[in-house]
């Protein structure tokens, strides 16, 4: 068995020469009834794609101890080596609960029909796994309802999972439930809720954190940490928003507030030249050895300096590499070299992270109707949400003539249920937002983000703000700051 020091070295170097020894240790550890978390983390950090078939076989083998199967699935998840939708559905059909739990935790929007029946049934044995799966990419209000309801579940482990998951989308509707969870009899639940509340910039939340921070124990320590985090947002606005902050003035500093220097991008750092194409191909052709130094060869390089004659062979090699991390990193140079066809191929890659990177980098290639249509279809179909959703919309706009997309953007901002899509649509419209101003008199769909984005544009464009008086009473720092101009 590898020592802790050896595992640390292997992880740091991403030494893939150790891959199959580590897998053997994983299977052998089942006899002891426990699997070292260091071993699992090391396998995940090594990220060897050659390990995937073995890990899949271990995870799906009913004869293996559950602790070993769970560990194998944990490596697949942490290494972003989760099978595609078709394979996940095949696993689901087998009916093994341990496998199904993994499918739920890794579900994407393509598995909505699998995850929703479980998420709506608090008594389902895999209910918590469904809540984990809903953390990313499920931002519409209907999904938030399930997570918020889970804050009241009888099982504290479920309540803690719900509190953890609500930090990602920050739904306004969750704030009261999180306030109640901060007083939960189970300290782990309370700490999870307090940790999440640091991302809810309201006066009532800041007051709650401060009051709990006066106590002792882990709960109070978490509250103090969350309060300090939130004060980092409040303090710079203390003078400008003095009236709005009056109810919490006692929680804020009393000294002068130093005006922050106006932000400017400054000079771009000079990127080192990429290694020669032959050196990269040689390095990435050997599946063994240390990969950390090789992966570094693909980060923040000046790919434009590579001779044009060397680019086609390297582009083909990187885009077809068996390691999804390499394919993901290849999107940068492919974009710099305007390799639109290869990026479009990667936008259909089996790996979710590769697809997302390709769609993002497609915005930097010359305008193409094919790319505009492809990314618009991604958005319109509902296949993407969250970061992947608004990046797809931004790429679509980059390949569409100015103004041509405006009516579609207005429709998205008005009617779409994905907050990221609505926000991006408003940003892309710029000062052409007059048809959307009635949204300011409506309650938030998810967060106040749409409102303060519209208010900010109104302030800069000299447009009247409908419902301004009512908006000033909203307990949200960012909205208050936008209203102050």
């Amino acid at each position: 068995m590898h020592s802790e020091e050896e595992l640390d070295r292997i992880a740091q170097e991403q030494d893939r020469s150790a891959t199959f020894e580590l897998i053997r240790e994983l299977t052998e550890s089942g006899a002891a009834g426990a699997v070292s978390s260091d071993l699992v983390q090391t396998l995940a950090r090594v990220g060897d794609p050659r390990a995937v078939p073995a890990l899949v076989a271990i995870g799906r083998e009913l004869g293996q101890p559950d602790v070993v199967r769970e560990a194998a699935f944990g490596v697949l998840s942490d290494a972003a080596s989760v099978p595609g939708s078709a394979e996940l559905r095949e696993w689901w059909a087998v009916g093994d609960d341990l496998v199904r739990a993994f499918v739920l935790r890794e579900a994407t929007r393509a598995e909505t029909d699998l995850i929703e029946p479980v998420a709506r049934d608090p008594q389902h044995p895999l209910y918590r796994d469904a809540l984990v799966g809903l953390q990313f990419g499920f931002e519409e209000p209907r999904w938030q309802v399930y997570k918020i309801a889970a804050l009241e579940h009888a099982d504290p482990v479920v309540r803690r999972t719900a509190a953890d998951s609500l930090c990602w989308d920050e739904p306004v509707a969750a704030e009261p439930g999180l306030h109640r969870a901060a007083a939960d009899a189970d300290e782990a639940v309370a700490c999870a809720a307090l940790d999440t509340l640091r991302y809810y910039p309201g006066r009532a939340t800041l007051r709650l954190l401060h009051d709990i921070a006066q106590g002792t124990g882990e709960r109070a320590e978490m509250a103090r940490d969350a309060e300090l985090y939130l004060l980092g947002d409040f303090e710079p606005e203390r003078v400008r928003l003095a009236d709005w902050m009056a109810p919490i003035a006692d929680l804020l500093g009393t000294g002068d507030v130093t005006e922050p220097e106006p932000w400017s991008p400054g000079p771009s750092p000079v990127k080192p030249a990429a290694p020669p194409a032959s050196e990269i191909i040689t390095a990435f052709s050997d599946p063994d050895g240390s990969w950390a130094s090789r992966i570094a060869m693909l980060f923040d390089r000046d790919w434009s300096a590579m001779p044009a004659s060397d680019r086609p062979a390297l582009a083909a090699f990187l885009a077809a590499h068996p390691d999804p991390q390499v394919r993901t990193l290849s999107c940068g140079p492919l974009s710099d070299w305007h390799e639109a066809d290869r990026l479009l191929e990667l936008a259909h890659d089996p790996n979710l992270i590769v697809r997302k990177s390709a769609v993002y980098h497609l915005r930097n290639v010359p305008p193409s109707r094919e790319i505009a249509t492809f990314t618009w279809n991604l958005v319109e179909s509902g296949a993407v949400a969250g970061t992947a959703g608004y990046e797809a919309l931004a790429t679509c706009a980059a390949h569409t003539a100015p103004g041509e997309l405006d009516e579609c953007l207005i429709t998205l901002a008005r009617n779409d249920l994905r907050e990221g899509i609505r926000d991006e649509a408003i940003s892309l419209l710029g000062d052409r937002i007059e048809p959307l101003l009635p949204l300011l008199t409506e309650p938030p769909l998810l967060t106040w983000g749409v409102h303060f984005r519209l208010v900010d544009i109104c302030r800069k464009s000299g447009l009247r703000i409908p419902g301004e008086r009512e908006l000033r009473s909203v307990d949200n720092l960012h909205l208050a700051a936008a209203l102050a101009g």
Side-chain angles (χ1 to χ4, degrees):
M1 300 290 283
H2 288 88
S3 67
E4 185 176 332
E5 291 75 17
E6 290 172 323
L7 290 176
D8 184 60
R9 180 201 60 81
I10 292 168
Q12 291 288 341
E13 296 180 7
Q14 290 182 255
D15 183 1
R16 295 184 176 180
S17 301
T19 294
F20 297 104
E21 291 180 19
L22 296 175
I23 292 174
R24 178 180 53 78
E25 290 179 19
L26 176 65
T27 56
E28 291 177 352
S29 63
V35 177
S36 160
S37 61
D38 288 337
L39 175 60
V40 173
Q41 291 168 13
T42 299
L43 265 169
R45 288 184 63 185
V46 167
D48 192 337
R50 297 176 302 170
V52 172
L55 292 167
V56 167
I58 292 168
R60 296 194 61 186
E61 186 181 340
L62 296 177
Q64 287 281 358
D66 283 358
V67 66
V68 174
R69 298 176 68 201
E70 288 278 14
F73 283 141
V75 174
L76 289 171
S77 178
D78 292 346
S81 299
V82 177
S85 182
E87 196 168 345
L88 288 178
R89 287 183 174 279
E90 177 194 327
W91 293 12
W92 181 268
V94 173
D96 174 36
D97 267 4
L98 195 148
V99 172
R100 284 189 162 187
F102 174 75
V103 172
L104 291 171
R105 293 194 300 270
E106 301 300 329
T108 68
R109 295 173 71 83
E111 290 77 53
T112 292
D113 60 315
L114 302 182
I115 197 169
E116 187 158 26
V118 181
R120 71 159 66 103
D121 180 8
Q123 304 309 313
H124 196 286
L126 303 180
Y127 179 63
R128 177 181 173 273
D129 299 288
L131 293 176
V132 172
L134 291 180
Q135 288 188 65
F136 304 106
F138 293 88
E139 60 184 318
E140 294 93 329
R142 90 185 210 229
W143 303 110
Q144 307 305 324
V145 167
Y146 299 136
K147 292 188 281 188
I148 294 168
L151 289 171
E152 312 296 334
H153 198 274
D155 185 346
V157 176
V158 171
R159 297 199 301 276
R160 179 179 180 179
T161 301
D164 284 336
S165 70
L166 287 164
C167 81
W168 300 106
D169 295 323
E170 304 164 30
V172 170
E175 200 160 6
L178 288 168
H179 280 210
R180 292 191 295 273
D184 199 282
D186 187 289
E187 190 161 58
V189 174
C191 286
L194 291 163
D195 196 27
T196 292
L197 281 168
R198 73 178 65 216
Y199 303 110
Y200 287 71
R203 295 166 298 191
T205 290
L206 186 60
R207 173 67 67 186
L208 175 77
L209 295 174
H210 178 79
D211 290 347
I212 295 175
Q214 307 314 303
T216 58
E218 187 179 355
R219 187 189 313 241
E221 184 177 344
M222 180 63 78
R224 284 192 288 273
D225 186 59
E227 181 188 15
L228 283 172
Y229 182 93
L230 206 48
L231 282 171
D233 289 336
F234 275 78
E235 286 287 358
E237 301 285 4
R238 176 167 50 83
V239 173
R240 194 166 72 99
L241 302 180
D243 291 342
W244 186 84
M245 293 193 186
I248 53 166
D250 59 307
L251 308 185
L252 304 172
T254 56
D256 291 336
V257 176
T258 303
E259 282 291 323
E261 291 290 329
W263 181 83
S264 62
S268 299
V270 177
K271 295 181 179 181
S278 59
E279 182 180 332
I280 295 174
I281 291 173
T282 298
F284 284 94
S285 294
D286 179 8
D288 271 328
S290 170
W291 271 65
S293 57
R294 301 181 205 178
I295 292 296
M297 296 167 70
L298 303 181
F299 273 109
D300 289 324
R301 299 289 180 161
D302 179 8
W303 296 101
S304 66
M306 180 167 287
S309 58
D310 289 349
R311 296 176 186 178
L314 183 57
F317 175 80
L318 294 176
H321 199 278
D323 190 330
Q325 187 178 12
V326 174
R327 298 198 302 277
T328 299
L329 292 171
S330 78
C331 294
L334 291 176
S335 176
D336 288 349
W337 301 335
H338 294 170
E339 290 273 359
D341 289 344
R342 294 198 191 280
L343 282 171
L344 275 169
E345 289 176 13
L346 290 174
H348 294 86
D349 194 271
N351 185 279
L352 177 67
I353 297 174
V354 176
R355 295 198 301 272
K356 179 179 178 297
S357 180
V359 169
Y360 174 84
H361 283 92
L362 275 167
R363 74 184 60 180
N364 299 320
V365 303
S368 157
R369 177 56 63 182
E370 181 183 6
I371 295 172
T373 301
F374 165 66
T375 49
W376 174 255
N377 288 341
L378 271 182
V379 171
E380 190 178 39
S381 68
V384 289
T387 307
Y390 68 71
E391 287 178 352
L393 184 56
T395 296
C396 178
H399 289 271
T400 308
E404 183 181 331
L405 206 56
D406 281 9
E407 286 304 316
C408 295
L409 295 174
I410 288 168
T411 300
L412 288 173
R414 277 179 177 153
N415 303 322
D416 205 280
L417 299 179
R418 294 164 292 178
E419 184 92 339
I421 294 290
R422 301 176 83 209
D423 278 355
E424 186 65 25
I426 292 168
S427 292
L428 291 169
L429 283 165
D431 59 5
R432 305 182 300 280
I433 58 161
E434 283 198 70
L436 300 176
L437 295 185
L439 291 175
L440 288 170
T441 64
E442 298 177 10
L445 193 66
L446 181 67
T447 74
W448 289 103
V450 164
H451 291 70
F452 66 67
R453 198 174 297 274
L454 287 170
V455 167
D456 185 55
I457 296 173
C458 285
R459 283 284 187 236
K460 292 175 180 175
S461 306
L463 296 171
R464 186 183 68 84
I465 302 173
E468 181 173 359
R469 179 177 176 182
E470 291 74 14
L471 290 173
R472 289 188 179 280
S473 67
V474 171
D475 188 12
N476 181 278
L477 172 67
H478 303 315
L479 182 57
L483 287 163

